[in-house]
């Protein structure tokens, strides 16, 4: 990477927040991935805007990471700048029946804040790994709830560096989709519209959903969450199970024996191991059922 750009980024976010050749493995629950040319942690929305503008002016590719909970990063790493929005953009504010959360706030933290304020509607997300920013981008959902059902608007930084508000009606949400990725917008905050309810009831519902998740999902093993999207009319895990793929391994990657919808890092898996296993699962499920599975995991590499 051009040293002048790295210097410009350091001038914006501080020397300690602009690190060259930072390994991305510690920044994803999968614990897999090579380095980014530069890893930058802006301290404010305004700094996000300035970092994006600097990258655009230098014609250097940039990407955004929160918890990295749905990412598979290649062993070779990624080209350009990775902008981290987790730690410095995680404030949560309650305003009546609304919660304004920074993109880096975890879904669990937002659900807890809502519960404490006696606000219902975000219980479904209490166990979804990742951040509010990621939830907005992929319209995260679980247990009959989706982000689009409770979000009033999303604050973003455009590729031109403008800070804009995208109302619910313009977000183009559908199943695990929004307009933010295609528009290359950086989600920096979201405003949720919730409803007043009894905190004890909210907490009971959250405990119930947490127990279900812990009982059914391999949360004790490194993964990127659900590996495949739900195919129309089917469940990915059921198709994988029916194809006899439970426990199938390639290198250190394994189809979970607890929930076949998850590919896990069973021990020193490489990104290539995971990718090969995903490809094999897709091939064999298509062969056995005629259904083409589409990955829910996002894949980053130098070729992208």
């Amino acid at each position: 990477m051009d040293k002048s750009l790295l210097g410009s980024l350091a001038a914006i976010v501080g020397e300690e927040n602009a690190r060259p050749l930072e390994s991305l493995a510690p920044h994803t629950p999968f614990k897999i991935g090579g380095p980014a040319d530069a890893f930058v942690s802006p301290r404010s929305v305004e700094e996000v805007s300035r970092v994006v503008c600097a990258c655009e002016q230098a014609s250097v590719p940039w990407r955004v990471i929160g918890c990295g909970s749905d990412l598979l990063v290649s062993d070779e790493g990624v080209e350009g700048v990775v902008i981290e929005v987790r730690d410095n953009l995680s404030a949560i504010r309650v305003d009546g029946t609304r919660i304004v959360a920074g993109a880096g706030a975890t879904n669990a933290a937002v659900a807890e804040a809502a519960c404490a304020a006696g606000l219902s509607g975000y219980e479904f997300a209490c166990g979804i790994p990742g951040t509010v920013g990621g939830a907005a981008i992929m319209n995260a959902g679980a247990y009959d709830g989706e982000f689009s059902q409770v979000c009033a608007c999303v604050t973003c930084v455009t590729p031109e560096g403008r800070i804009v508000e995208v109302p619910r009606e313009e977000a183009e949400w559908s199943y695990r989709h929004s307009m933010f990725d295609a528009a290359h917008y950086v989600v920096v905050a979201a405003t949720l519209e919730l409803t007043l309810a009894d905190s004890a009831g909210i907490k009971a519902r959250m405990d119930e959903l947490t127990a279900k998740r812990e009982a059914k999902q391999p949360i004790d093993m490194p993964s990127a969450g659900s590996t495949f999207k739900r195919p129309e009319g089917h469940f990915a895990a059921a198709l994988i199970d029916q194809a006899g793929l439970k426990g199938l391994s390639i290198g250190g990657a394994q189809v979970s024996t607890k929930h076949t919808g998850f590919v896990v890092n069973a021990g020193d898996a490489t990104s290539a191991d995971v990718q090969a296993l995903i490809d094999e699962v897709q091939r064999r499920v298509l062969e056995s059922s005629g259904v083409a599975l589409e990955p829910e995991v996002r894949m980053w590499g130098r070729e992208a």
Side-chain angles (χ1 to χ4, degrees):
M1 168 169 287
D2 190 311
K3 289 185 178 180
S4 64
L5 175 59
L6 190 60
S8 297
L9 296 175
I12 295 169
V13 303
E15 291 281 350
E16 70 281 6
N17 293 318
R19 303 187 291 277
L21 298 177
E22 173 96 346
S23 171
L24 295 178
H27 298 285
T28 74
F30 236 144
K31 304 304 179 189
I32 292 173
D37 289 346
F39 189 85
V40 179
S41 301
R43 296 163 293 188
S44 66
V45 173
E46 291 70 25
E47 286 189 357
V48 173
S49 172
R50 293 174 62 193
V51 167
V52 168
C53 286
C55 293
E56 288 287 321
Q57 289 168 5
S59 298
V60 170
W62 54 272
R63 310 164 190 249
V64 180
I65 192 171
C67 292
S69 57
D70 63 344
L71 286 179
L72 175 62
V73 179
S74 77
D75 301 312
E76 293 75 28
V78 297
E79 180 183 3
V81 176
V82 171
I83 304 170
E84 187 257 339
V85 298
R86 179 177 179 180
D87 294 335
N88 296 327
L89 296 175
S90 59
I92 301 170
R93 175 170 56 88
V94 178
D95 183 9
T97 58
R98 290 190 163 194
I99 286 184
V100 181
T106 64
N107 291 308
V110 174
E112 290 288 349
C115 179
L119 295 176
S120 178
Y122 212 61
E123 295 93 318
F124 74 89
C126 68
I128 296 177
T131 62
V132 166
I137 291 168
M138 69 174 295
N139 190 20
Y143 302 111
D144 299 321
E146 283 189 331
F147 189 83
S148 58
Q149 297 168 350
V150 295
C151 185
C153 65
V154 180
T155 306
C156 302
V157 172
T158 73
E160 299 76 34
R162 293 184 297 115
I163 300 170
V164 299
E165 296 284 340
V166 180
R168 177 205 313 264
E169 299 76 19
E170 297 177 14
E172 299 178 17
W173 278 307
S174 58
Y175 177 69
R176 302 297 178 264
H177 171 80
S178 71
M179 55 78 70
F180 303 115
D181 257 347
H184 210 30
Y185 280 16
V186 183
V187 173
V188 291
T191 300
L192 309 179
E193 182 65 66
L194 305 177
T195 56
L196 291 170
D198 176 62
S199 289
I202 296 170
K203 180 66 163 59
R205 177 60 174 161
M206 288 168 57
D207 288 346
E208 175 192 354
L209 296 181
T210 298
K212 284 184 178 181
R213 187 176 292 272
E214 290 176 347
K216 295 181 179 180
Q217 298 182 6
I219 60 175
D220 58 332
M221 301 185 75
S223 78
S226 297
T227 305
F228 301 99
K229 295 180 180 179
R230 185 179 66 241
E232 188 173 352
H234 301 274
F235 291 99
L239 294 172
I240 295 167
D241 208 14
Q242 290 161 13
L245 303 180
K246 179 183 290 187
L248 178 68
S249 297
I250 293 181
Q254 181 188 64
V255 175
S256 170
T257 57
K258 189 173 186 178
H259 189 310
T260 50
F262 289 67
V263 169
V264 298
N265 181 353
D268 299 322
T270 66
S271 182
D273 290 341
V274 176
Q275 183 65 69
L277 185 55
I278 288 173
D279 292 345
E280 181 64 7
V281 169
Q282 288 177 299
R283 185 187 70 79
R284 289 170 64 172
V285 166
L286 181 61
E287 185 179 80
S288 66
S289 68
V291 178
L293 293 180
E294 181 182 354
E296 186 168 307
V297 175
R298 294 188 299 150
M299 301 170 187
W300 283 6
R302 288 192 174 268
E303 71 286 354

